Amino acid sequence: MRIVETARTHFLNREPFLLFVEDEKAQRFADELLWKLPETGFLPHQILDEQAQELVPIAITKSKINVTQALFAFNL
């Protein structure tokens, strides 16, 4: 729940947010989590492993670089 709450807070504040994950399994987990929660909707997000060319509100990446230039991140 902490992951979803943190992502939601930054999304509502229009602050790009990045989830760093270790592998594809963790990437799928985070993707499914953001689709399922909150129960009243979902958090729009993208899976990115290369530099984004446009603003992405929430991104999930296996990359070790900040692909969205987000100031806020969660390292899983």
Side-chain angles (χ1 to χ4, degrees):
M1 281 306 292
R2 186 67 173 155
I3 296 167
V4 174
E5 290 171 5
T6 303
R8 184 175 184 274
T9 298
H10 290 289
F11 177 75
L12 292 175
N13 290 330
R14 291 180 164 71
E15 301 166 336
F17 183 70
L18 187 58
L19 288 167
F20 286 106
V21 295
E22 190 63 33
D23 54 26
E24 192 171 320
K25 183 178 178 181
Q27 201 170 38
R28 281 192 310 268
F29 170 81
D31 179 45
E32 290 177 19
L33 186 68
L34 294 177
W35 275 110
K36 293 178 183 176
L37 297 175
E39 292 180 11
T40 57
F42 70 95
L43 289 171
H45 61 280
Q46 290 183 2
I47 294 175
L48 295 172
D49 290 323
E50 295 181 5
Q51 196 70 35
Q53 300 301 316
E54 58 190 43
L55 179 65
V56 177
I58 301 173
I60 305 167
T61 187
K62 296 181 309 233
S63 177
K64 302 299 182 204
I65 62 168
N66 186 345
V67 295
T68 61
Q69 304 306 312
L71 298 178
F72 305 96
F74 207 109
N75 188 356
L76 299 179

